[in-house]
Amino acid sequence: MKKTIFALIICLCCLNSVFAFKYSNTPAGMIYFASHGYVENNEVLSNPYIIGGLYTMHWSVIESEQGKYNWKEVDDFVNRWTKAGKKVALRIMWSSSGYWRNPVAGKPTPAWVWKAGAKYAYHKESNTELALFWDPIFREHAMNFMKAVNKHFKNNKEILFIDVTPGAETNPYRFGTINRKDPQFKESFSKVPASDGRTYTEDLWTETIKSWIKQTAKVMTDIPCLVTLNQGSLFGRNNFPVFGQTAVDNGMYVGQNGIHENSYQGNDALRTKLFNQWKNKTKLFFEMVHAAETQNTGSMQGVIEAAKRIDCDYLNVYPQDVLKSTVGTSCYNTKWDEALKNGYNYFSSKAKDK
């Protein structure tokens, strides 16, 4: 009995050591958000303040035919950045919006998944196909895709992490674009049945995302994973704490998209408290709400200060802001240069501490 207990303790210690080793060498820093229209920009590769670039992967582009994968675009991005001495972060975009500029954004799921029997909600005005994440056929094929992603990138030590967030930052779809123009769509969405007949409920969504995160952790075994959090429901249930805790418990990074200069002060008390708890167990990622000095984002320096307040590990910076801090560009601005240099110094000291 004593030998069994001792062996179990040794096993647990080894697992903890593996986990610590897996994440110990990953740096902290600012990342270039290679959004649509800025993916192939080479000027930013010389920027000394950013540690890498973030590339968005669309399942419908990579696996347009079942079981046949086209990695060329993402591999080209990875190779270009790593040759420049930078790291790369990846994002699987499961749910997007046809209102976005990227022509593939309205259809992130391959058409063959629907032909296989998975069901989706359709928003006509934006021409967006919205996956029902509790649909068992959709889920089966999505997990197979993640297995392929894990296999393809598992030996690349330059990959910082992969954002595997289910839904639209754990919401069922992109509220920010669709609900703004069509607030009645929520009701229509909630009545669309999946292939097994189930329609949306708050309980179903909560259990779907929790189990999706747990299953993803078993599939994505060789690359650190990230889950970015939102309220996480259709009709107001606040799943932010439970989804975040589920991600952390399954060894994933957590974070939030939408940081601005006033974030994580008195008005964000609960989320600040949760992130303060989670950062002791994992890494924190935040993405700017918009480019600096547009749509209430505040100044670039203000965003840096917010990142410091929340003890951020990775800050995803809009491409316009990185370009403004890159010497030699037509939009170079010393104000942005000073802000990102300040951020670089902060993240550099943070990485050394760890």
Side-chain angles (χ1 to χ4, degrees), residues 76-330:
D76 286 349
F77 183 90
V78 172
N79 292 335
R80 187 159 50 89
W81 280 76
T82 55
K83 285 180 180 178
K86 305 286 188 178
K87 302 288 186 178
V88 173
L90 301 173
R91 171 180 287 161
I92 301 175
M93 185 61 72
W94 298 111
S95 179
S96 46
S97 169
Y99 285 128
W100 292 354
R101 291 185 302 131
N102 192 329
V104 304
K107 296 177 172 59
T109 303
W112 61 262
V113 177
W114 311 139
K115 292 179 181 178
K119 303 301 179 182
Y120 64 92
Y122 180 64
H123 185 251
K124 182 178 180 180
E125 289 75 7
S126 63
N127 191 24
T128 306
E129 296 172 355
L130 302 162
L132 307 177
F133 282 78
W134 58 93
D135 188 300
I137 298 175
F138 173 83
R139 183 165 178 154
E140 175 187 359
H141 293 303
M143 290 295 160
N144 286 337
F145 175 65
M146 279 196 281
K147 289 178 183 178
V149 172
N150 182 74
K151 181 179 179 180
H152 185 74
F153 291 107
K154 68 177 182 179
N155 293 320
N156 193 330
K157 305 304 181 184
E158 305 305 316
I159 304 295
L160 290 169
F161 58 82
I162 294 187
D163 183 343
V164 296
T165 308
E169 299 159 29
T170 68
N171 285 340
Y173 60 87
R174 296 284 163 183
F175 298 160
T177 59
I178 293 177
N179 279 3
R180 188 183 304 123
K181 298 183 178 183
D182 188 4
Q184 303 304 315
F185 182 70
K186 281 186 177 184
E187 291 293 337
S188 301
F189 178 91
S190 69
K191 295 174 183 176
V192 178
S195 61
D196 59 2
R198 292 181 298 170
T199 58
Y200 180 92
T201 67
E202 297 283 64
D203 286 344
L204 175 60
W205 183 253
T206 301
E207 290 308 311
T208 293
I209 301 304
K210 287 172 61 180
S211 60
W212 182 289
I213 291 171
K214 293 174 183 178
Q215 189 174 0
T216 299
K218 296 177 180 178
V219 168
M220 301 290 287
T221 55
D222 298 292
I223 311 169
C225 291
L226 162 72
V227 172
T228 55
L229 306 168
N230 212 309
Q231 178 167 300
S233 70
L234 190 61
F235 297 120
R237 176 183 288 183
N238 185 7
N239 279 315
F240 189 98
V242 66
F243 290 163
Q245 191 62 53
T246 302
V248 172
D249 288 345
N250 283 273
M252 297 182 179
Y253 302 167
V254 289
Q256 190 174 9
N257 296 344
I259 193 171
H260 51 82
E261 69 176 4
N262 295 319
S263 295
Y264 308 110
Q265 300 190 89
N267 58 332
D268 294 310
L270 175 58
R271 294 187 179 192
T272 300
K273 179 181 178 181
L274 289 169
F275 281 129
N276 284 336
Q277 293 174 354
W278 294 331
K279 72 184 180 185
N280 294 319
K281 298 181 179 179
T282 190
K283 289 181 177 287
L284 304 183
F285 167 96
F286 297 89
E287 181 177 299
M288 295 170 62
V289 61
H290 295 290
E293 300 188 359
T294 63
Q295 301 187 47
N296 300 319
T297 304
S299 68
M300 190 64 237
Q301 183 58 46
V303 174
I304 295 295
E305 294 304 322
K308 292 179 183 180
R309 279 196 297 273
I310 199 61
D311 199 14
C312 173
D313 291 287
Y314 297 112
L315 177 64
N316 203 27
V317 181
Y318 264 66
Q320 298 93 320
D321 298 308
V322 177
L323 284 165
K324 288 179 180 179
S325 70
T326 303
V327 174
T329 62
S330 59

Side-chain angles (χ1 to χ4, degrees), residues 26-32 44-45 47-54 81-82 84-89 158 160-161 313-315 322 344 347-348 351:
T26 56
M30 293 177 291
I31 300 171
Y32 171 79
V44 295
L45 294 173
N47 190 297
Y49 307 134
I50 58 171
I51 63 169
L54 184 144
W81 280 76
T82 55
K86 305 286 188 178
K87 302 288 186 178
V88 173
E158 305 305 316
L160 290 169
F161 58 82
D313 291 287
Y314 297 112
L315 177 64
V322 177
Y344 173 80
F347 285 111
S348 296

